[in-house]
């Protein structure tokens, strides 16, 4: 991966947040999570428009809305490195055994990114409001595997 790839991800995130379709997706997910018993709701974002701006390792883009005051459930991805940034809300993340306060997306601050290696357990902890995150994965959306740490149950996000 090239050295300044976080700048590329930040630029892609800025572009995504300006897109009317992405804004609509986030609004719909915020409504959906209010009615759901699940800890989060998600949608994939079409990557083709940004493919030339991203390092080739990145194969899919996701938007997640995590329910307030509700942990996301500890899990890991055996087939993807995840780069995640919070674009709305407040909360923290536990990666492996370390907690980190999430910082709101700032294109000039690399510290707002969570980089989660393959097979690395992680869980998000929203506070008093929903958290909205954008995640860049190194596998295709139809290939992203989640394995729960407690039950070892496996699922594909996009069957």
């Amino acid at each position: 991966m090239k050295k300044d790839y976080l700048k590329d991800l930040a630029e892609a995130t800025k572009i995504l947040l300006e897109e009317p379709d992405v804004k609509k997706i986030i609004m719909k997910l915020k409504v959906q999570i209010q009615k759901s018993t699940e800890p989060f709701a998600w949608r994939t974002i079409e990557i083709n428009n940004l493919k030339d701006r991203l390092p080739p390792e990145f194969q899919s883009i996701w938007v997640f809305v995590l329910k307030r005051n509700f942990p996301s459930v500890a899990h890991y991805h055996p087939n993807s490195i995840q780069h995640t940034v919070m674009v709305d809300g407040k909360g923290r993340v536990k990666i492996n055994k370390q907690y980190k306060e999430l910082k709101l997306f700032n294109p000039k601050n690399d510290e707002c990114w969570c980089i989660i290696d393959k097979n690395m357990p992680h869980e998000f902890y929203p506070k008093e409001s929903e958290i909205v995150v954008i995640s860049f994965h190194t596998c295709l959306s139809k290939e992203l595997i989640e394995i729960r740490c407690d039950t070892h149950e496996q699922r594909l996000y996009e069957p």
Side-chain angles (χ1 to χ4, degrees):
M1 219 176 284
K2 66 183 185 176
K3 193 174 186 177
D4 59 347
Y5 74 96
L6 286 179
K7 288 181 177 59
D8 295 335
L9 294 180
E11 187 61 31
T13 301
K14 280 176 34 182
I15 291 167
L16 288 170
L17 292 174
E18 293 169 0
E19 290 281 330
D21 288 345
V22 173
K23 290 177 182 179
K24 286 179 190 172
I25 288 169
I26 291 170
M27 294 307 297
K28 286 180 181 179
L29 290 173
K30 283 183 172 184
V31 170
Q32 180 182 340
I33 199 64
Q34 296 296 323
K35 301 172 185 173
S36 176
T37 59
E38 295 296 319
F40 55 86
W42 75 89
R43 286 277 307 272
T44 56
I45 303 293
E46 180 57 53
I47 195 171
N48 288 337
N49 297 341
L50 295 171
K51 206 64 164 137
D52 61 335
R53 295 178 177 266
L54 297 173
E57 294 85 359
F58 293 98
Q59 298 293 310
S60 59
I61 305 172
W62 304 70
V63 174
F64 290 89
V65 174
L66 297 99
K67 189 178 282 194
R68 69 184 174 106
N69 298 319
F70 202 98
S72 66
V73 178
H75 65 280
Y76 61 93
H77 307 290
N79 64 336
S80 182
I81 299 171
Q82 177 178 344
H83 289 66
T84 298
V85 67
M86 182 178 68
V87 297
D88 191 22
K90 287 185 180 180
R92 61 187 179 143
V93 63
K94 182 180 179 186
I95 301 173
N96 201 9
K97 295 177 181 165
Q98 292 203 310
Y99 288 92
K100 173 184 173 181
E101 213 50 47
L102 292 167
K103 295 181 179 179
L104 200 56
F105 172 63
N106 177 342
K108 296 179 181 174
N109 183 359
D110 290 350
E111 291 180 21
C112 63
W113 289 94
C114 297
I115 302 169
I116 306 165
D117 286 326
K118 290 179 183 179
N119 297 310
M120 185 63 62
H122 57 284
E123 184 169 13
F124 291 88
Y125 297 85
K127 292 188 178 175
E128 61 274 352
S129 65
E130 284 76 30
I131 290 179
V132 179
V133 299
I134 294 180
S135 291
F136 296 83
H137 278 272
T138 58
C139 71
L140 297 172
S141 58
K142 65 183 180 180
E143 297 173 348
L144 183 62
I145 297 169
E146 172 193 276
I147 300 177
R148 287 181 59 139
C149 293
D150 57 354
T151 64
H152 304 290
E153 181 182 343
Q154 181 175 315
R155 76 166 168 173
L156 291 171
Y157 280 87
E158 301 284 321

